[in-house]
Amino acid sequence: MARVIKIVALSGSLRKASFHTGLIRYAIELSKSVIDGIQIEYIDLSNLPMLNTDLEKEGTFPAEVEAFRHKILEADSVLFASPEYNYSVSAPLKNAIDWASRPPNVWAGKPAAIVSVGGAFGGGKAQHHLRQIGVFLDIHFINKPEFYLDVFKHPDKCNDDGDLVDEEIKNRLKKVIVSLKEFTLKLQGRN
Ligand SMILES: Cc1cc2nc3c(=O)[nH]c(=O)nc-3n(C[C@H](O)[C@H](O)[C@H](O)COP(=O)(O)O)c2cc1C
C-alpha cells in the first residue's frame, strides 16, 4: 500500500476565530474522509519565541523551535494559510519561516501550497511575497489552482468561529489539497 503523505499546515493568524485556521480545519476534515492517502497536521505557531539567534546554542535551538523544525523536516509537504498584513506575510508566519530556515534549512525541497483570505485581493499580495521568500528557501509551490478569498466582499463564506461554510469555496480548497498531494507524489517520483 502507498505510504500516506504527511502534510503540515501552518496558519499565520493567531486569533481564535481566524479564517485561515478555519481553512486548515476544513482541509483536515477533507484528509479524514474525502481525500485518500494524506494526513494533515495543524501546527500552532503561537508558542514559538521571536527569532533571536542568541537563543541558539552550538547548533541547538529552544525546545519549541526544535520541535517545530523537526515537524517541518519530517513532513512531505506544507500547507501555508497565510494572512496578508500590510501587503505582506504576517509576523507569526515569517517568524516561523525564519526559525526553520536556520542552518540546516529544513524547508529545502518541500512541496507547498498557499491559501489566503483577506480584503480586495483575498491576500494575494502576501501570497506573492511568500513565493518570493520560498525562492531562497527552495520551497516548491504549486501554481494551480490559486486560492484567494475576499471575505470583506463575501463575509458569508465563513462564520463567526472562522469556519468555512460555503460549498463552492470548500470545493476550491479541496482542489488545492488534491493538487498538493499530486505534486508531492510527482516530486517524490511516486507517480
Ligand atoms: C495588521 C493587519 C494588517 C492587515 N493588512 C491587510 C492587507 O494588507 N490586505 C488585506 O487584504 N487584509 C489586511 N488585513 C485584514 C486581514 O486580511 C483580515 O483581518 C483577515 O481576516 C486576517 O485573517 P484571520 O481571519 O485568519 O485572522 C490586515 C489585518 C491586520 C490585523
Side-chain angles (χ1 to χ4, degrees):
M1 212 173 73
R3 189 169 66 80
V4 169
I5 290 174
K6 286 191 283 182
I7 301 173
V8 290
L10 316 183
S11 171
S13 170
L14 305 185
R15 72 185 187 95
K16 201 159 167 259
S18 158
F19 299 133
H20 291 85
T21 313
L23 296 182
I24 291 175
R25 275 196 300 279
Y26 184 65
I28 290 172
E29 254 183 78
L30 290 171
S31 72
K32 288 185 173 158
S33 54
V34 180
I35 305 173
D36 289 338
I38 59 167
Q39 74 182 40
I40 301 181
E41 181 185 1
Y42 165 66
I43 303 185
D44 181 7
L45 304 181
S46 64
N47 65 354
L48 291 175
M50 282 298 284
L51 188 130
N52 175 351
T53 53
D54 288 346
L55 301 176
E56 298 175 15
K57 300 278 180 261
E58 289 156 13
T60 65
F61 299 88
E64 299 84 354
V65 176
E66 285 285 2
F68 172 68
R69 287 171 54 88
H70 187 71
K71 282 185 187 294
I72 302 299
L73 188 64
E74 292 288 294
D76 292 302
S77 45
V78 184
L79 174 65
F80 291 95
S82 171
E84 180 170 301
Y85 286 178
N86 301 313
Y87 285 15
S88 190
V89 174
S90 72
L93 184 57
K94 184 62 164 57
N95 186 50
I97 290 171
D98 289 343
W99 270 126
S101 76
R102 296 290 296 151
N105 166 25
V106 291
W107 300 110
K110 300 283 175 196
I114 317 172
V115 292
S116 63
V117 180
F121 297 100
K125 290 184 284 293
Q127 287 206 23
H128 289 178
H129 269 191
L130 184 48
R131 284 177 179 273
Q132 189 181 339
I133 292 165
V135 172
F136 184 63
L137 299 181
D138 196 21
I139 298 171
H140 305 297
F141 290 109
I142 62 164
N143 289 323
K144 300 282 178 193
E146 296 176 288
F147 184 103
Y148 313 108
L149 174 57
D150 179 353
V151 83
F152 290 12
K153 199 166 160 195
H154 304 286
D156 54 328
K157 306 291 183 194
C158 302
N159 68 18
D160 290 345
D161 295 326
D163 295 308
L164 186 57
V165 291
D166 182 275
E167 290 308 316
E168 189 243 322
I169 310 290
K170 283 182 172 179
N171 195 39
R172 277 175 46 202
L173 182 57
K174 179 181 156 193
K175 287 180 178 163
V176 171
I177 306 300
V178 169
S179 173
L180 179 60
K181 173 189 166 181
E182 285 170 359
F183 187 56
T184 303
L185 289 170
K186 194 185 279 183
L187 279 192
Q188 293 181 347
R190 288 203 267 155
N191 73 348

